[in-house]
Every structure is written in C-alpha cells, then in structure tokens.
Amino acid sequence: MTIHVFELPDLGEGLTEAEVVKWLVAVGDTVTVDQPVAEVETAKSIVEVPTPYAGVVHELHGAEGEVLAVGGPLISVADDAVVESVTPAAPASADGERYREEERAGTGSGNVLIGYGTPETGDGGRRRRRKGARPAPAPVSPAVPDAPVRRVPLVTSPLVRQMARQAGLRVADLRGSGPGGLITRRDVVAAIEADKAPAPSAAPETEVPAVPAPIAAGAVDPRTGLAESARVPMSGFRKSVAAALSRSRSEIPEATVWVDVDATELVRLRAARPEGPGLLSYVARFTVAGLRAFPELNGLVDAERGELVQYDGINLGLAVQTDRGLVAPAVLGAHRLTTAELDTEVKRLTAAARAGKATPVEMTGGTFTLNNYGSLRVDGSAAIINHPQVAILGIGRIIDRPWVVDGELTVRKITQLSFAFDHRVCDGGAAAGFMRIVADAIEDPAGAIARL
C-alpha cells in the first residue's frame, strides 16, 4: 500500500507551528487534489489547508486543538486502489517512526496556498525515478517499471522570494527542506547565515537546556505569597504576538508625538453623506497622502546592510481587535484606491480578519499601520510599532470638548492623533510634517480631498 504523508507547510509567515482548529475530513474519506482537509490557526489567521494528494484518508496526525510543528506530518493519504486496506494507523518502523512512503506523487491543479502548491497537469513538472518502491501485490492496471513520478513542485511564497532577493540569493540555487523540496523562510535564513558563518571549527555542540517542569495551579508563588488560581497555556497566536512585540521594543529606537485635532468638519461631512465612506476610511486616505509626502515612513530598516528601504507602494495595515487578539491585516495597494474604494476594502478586510479569513499575505504584508483605538473608547495610546515596519499612527475617540475658534470659545468634535516612529529613519521634523498633513486634512476634509 502506498501512503503519501502530507506535512504541514510553512504558510508564508515563517511560523514553526500551527494549531488544528477543525478537520474537514475523516479517516476513510475520499479526497481529491487541492481539496481542503483542515483549518489551522497560524499566528495571525485561520487558513484552510488543501491536500496535494488524491486518495483515501489513512490517518490524521493530530486532534482538533492540538499544535503541530511545521514540517511534521499533517495527514496521510492512501491510493484510491487500496481503499479496502485502509487501517486506523500505519505500521511503525524499527526506529519508532510510522511507515512513510518517501516519494511524493500525484497530479494537481496548480492551485497555490501561500508557501506551497501542487503540480500543473502536463509535462512541465520536474520528474524523478522511483527508488525502493514496494511492489504492489495486484496492480490495478499495467505499469512501466521505474516510471517517472511527478513531484510536488518547488513553489515559494512572495515573502520568501522577497527575502531571498533582498539577500542577493537566487531561489533556484537554494535547497528546500519543506514538502516536496519546498523552499521555506527557514531555508533562506539558513542560506544567509551560511554566507556569513566562518569556517567550521571543532567547537563542541551546545547543550540544549532542559525545560523546567510546569508548576501546578494552586501552588504558592514565593514572591507574592499568594496561591495561583489558574495557569493558561499561551496559544500559538499569543506566543507570536509576544515575540513580535518584544522584538519591536528591543530593536526599534521609538519616539512618539501627538496632536489634538478638531474633527468637527469631518464629522459633518460624514453626517451629510451617511451612505458614503466612514470616518476611518477618510483618515486612511489622508494617511496615504502623508506617506506619499514622507516615504521614509513607509519602509523598513535593513540593519544588516545599513540601509533604509522605502517601498514603491503602500500596504496600509489596520489594527483589528478579534476574539483571538489584536491583528493588523493590510489593505494591499492602498495607494491605488479612491476614498470610496478604500472604504469598501476596509470593511471587507476588517470582517475577514475578525472571522480569521484574511489571507497570509494580507496578515503579513503591511508597510504601515493605522490604529483606531478610539473604537475602544480611549483617547490615546503609546502604540508599539509593528516590526519590521517603522511607524504606526493612532486615532482616539472623537468627543465634545471646549475649543477656541477665531478667538471665541465653543464646543467642537476633538480627537487625538498619536504617532510612534523609528528614530533611525527620520527625525522629529519629518514625523511632525506627516502628522500635520493628516491633521490638517481632518480639520479641512473638503479642501484636502480636492487636492488629492
């Protein structure tokens, strides 16, 4: 019996693990190429994972709620011809691992989930001869010995390609460690490190420290003298968030500026056109204008090369609070959209993020983040920059406040903008200039839109 083991792929985010949220198939089900077999939760979103193999589900390598390692087995599929021989588990080898057919065969549609894909039909795929294949006791149809078997092709995500290109590497020269020879982000990082590494020496291997045993809930904390009421394991999402925020704080020399803004005219414009764009979409449009004027804020710091990178285009990230935590999906190509188009995309993207359906590219491709913490009914925030971005703009709630207009005290709709930026890319003058573009547009939206 030929068993094809499909390993959990790198879903384009450089992750090391993902949680199985829901199995879409069961042992004994017949599956086709590119049929979704599981929903897995990465650090940012819930993604349907399709199988590159057709046949009968032989084994599910994990229960719902279990965290699986990237590169580890996800699902095993048996050939259609051996459906009657499917068993709940595959036999174990002498070294304790389950039997796994080394080849990766099958035909596919060419559909690609970020980070991996299936072969196109036809003769364009890469081929190799089968080695050590087990003879079938009763072939269903005549076969040619040592017939070439089509492999899952090398398909890399846009993020992996960009990383390799920025490092001066050719993807074709890299050796993939993922399913079917897939080149993952880890492979690119390994190639970069190999170029920098000195000649190997006889230094002893570093011993991996033992992981301390967890303390059971109810134990007394020696520092406070209080008993613990509960211990909740960190999810993969929360671990990823913690790592990203810690990296931002440790690597980025961050500075913050803020300004109070009279949003009365913007609120009036919105009220006059209730069917038109929402307030956040107007602010998003003004943010895009500010980034065009100060492109250094729409980029990243390549510390290894000592270069400040600016992007030719804007993927505007939006901070969205979800049941799983705070995420920042991006409106891709926001610089090409009108205010009305931005409004449509903001609403779609926000709903997708809350449902866990934003794509991996949307979840990881932002170049700048806009945070509407006013929706949480707070006025200000010292936001943390979403690494590797270099700036984040926040807008607080809009409230009635006393304000002086033309020497007269009156009540106006006031909000606060706060802006955190990486001091390596610019000084306070550029940050203030960006802030004034956004603030002035909020205070005179009609005039700003006429100029955009």
Side-chain angles (χ1 to χ4, degrees):
M1 171 171 65
T2 301
I3 305 296
H4 306 291
V5 179
F6 176 44
E7 298 170 345
L8 180 64
D10 183 338
L11 299 172
E13 301 176 345
L15 301 176
T16 59
E17 61 185 18
E19 178 182 336
V20 178
V21 176
K22 180 180 180 182
W23 284 109
L24 305 179
V25 296
V27 172
D29 287 354
T30 300
V31 294
T32 59
V33 170
D34 286 335
Q35 176 180 335
V37 295
E39 288 183 353
V40 301
E41 183 175 15
T42 68
K44 296 295 186 180
S45 61
I46 296 176
V47 180
E48 286 188 348
V49 181
T51 171
Y53 305 116
V56 177
V57 177
H58 180 269
E59 184 177 2
L60 307 179
H61 296 276
E64 292 182 355
E66 184 175 348
V67 176
L68 302 181
V70 169
L74 176 66
I75 186 173
S76 296
V77 179
D79 288 344
D80 282 318
V82 293
V83 58
E84 59 273 9
S85 35
V86 171
T87 57
S93 64
D95 63 0
E97 295 184 352
R98 293 187 182 279
Y99 161 71
R100 178 178 302 183
E101 180 69 27
E102 292 298 332
E103 68 183 11
R104 304 199 173 275
T107 58
S109 66
N111 293 341
V112 175
L113 178 66
I114 298 299
Y116 71 99
T118 59
E120 298 279 1
T121 55
D123 298 327
R126 300 175 62 183
R127 298 174 179 268
R128 67 175 175 88
R129 292 188 179 277
R130 299 174 60 180
K131 296 181 180 179
R134 301 185 179 184
V140 177
S141 59
V144 179
D146 294 330
V149 176
R150 188 180 302 278
R151 299 181 63 190
V152 177
L154 181 150
V155 180
T156 59
S157 77
L159 298 179
V160 174
R161 289 186 184 277
Q162 181 185 26
M163 178 182 291
R165 184 170 58 252
Q166 291 178 346
L169 300 174
R170 293 179 67 250
V171 171
D173 294 337
L174 302 180
R175 184 178 183 85
S177 62
L182 165 72
I183 295 175
T184 67
R185 188 180 306 209
R186 291 191 303 277
D187 299 322
V188 177
V189 172
I192 295 173
E193 293 301 324
D195 286 344
K196 297 177 182 177
S201 64
E205 295 183 359
T206 302
E207 182 178 349
V208 179
V211 178
I215 301 174
V220 175
D221 177 16
R223 184 182 65 85
T224 63
L226 300 177
E228 298 176 351
S229 61
R231 277 190 172 242
V232 180
M234 292 180 68
S235 65
F237 171 85
R238 186 53 55 189
K239 289 178 183 177
S240 177
V241 169
L245 297 182
S246 297
R247 184 175 184 184
S248 178
R249 282 299 197 202
S250 64
E251 292 186 13
I252 299 177
E254 186 177 286
T256 303
V257 295
W258 58 91
V259 63
D260 290 338
V261 182
D262 184 354
T264 304
E265 295 303 320
L266 182 59
V267 173
R268 286 176 180 170
L269 176 63
R270 177 72 179 94
R273 301 184 64 237
E275 76 288 350
L279 292 175
L280 182 61
S281 299
Y282 282 112
V283 176
R285 187 67 187 85
F286 303 151
T287 299
V288 169
L291 292 176
R292 284 182 174 274
F294 294 92
E296 60 267 39
L297 298 172
N298 182 58
L300 61 79
V301 176
D302 188 337
E304 294 181 352
R305 296 190 175 188
E307 296 172 345
L308 303 179
V309 180
Q310 297 179 14
Y311 295 115
D312 183 18
I314 299 168
N315 293 343
L316 186 62
L318 303 171
V320 179
Q321 191 68 47
T322 73
D323 292 339
R324 301 183 315 281
L326 185 67
V327 297
V331 176
L332 305 179
H335 58 289
R336 294 190 295 265
L337 304 180
T338 65
T339 306
E341 291 170 339
L342 260 177
D343 185 67
T344 299
E345 188 62 9
V346 165
K347 292 175 180 176
R348 181 202 66 80
L349 187 63
T350 300
R354 287 180 176 147
K357 298 300 183 183
T359 68
V361 172
E362 290 170 337
M363 298 304 297
T364 61
T367 61
F368 181 96
T369 299
L370 175 60
N371 188 354
N372 177 24
Y373 44 74
S375 62
L376 302 177
R377 301 180 65 187
V378 297
D379 300 328
S381 171
I384 300 177
I385 296 171
N386 188 11
H387 186 279
Q389 298 171 22
V390 296
I392 181 171
L393 176 66
I395 181 170
R397 61 177 178 165
I398 300 176
I399 58 175
D400 289 339
R401 284 176 54 186
W403 200 254
V404 175
V405 178
D406 297 330
E408 298 291 333
L409 185 63
T410 185
V411 175
R412 304 286 284 186
K413 302 288 186 183
I414 306 301
T415 187
Q416 183 183 93
L417 297 179
S418 63
F419 183 57
F421 65 98
D422 188 331
H423 226 317
R424 293 174 297 179
V425 302
C426 69
D427 295 324
F434 167 82
M435 286 280 280
R436 283 317 319 173
I437 287 178
V438 179
D440 292 347
I442 291 174
E443 294 184 341
D444 181 18
I449 292 173
R451 295 189 299 270
L452 295 178

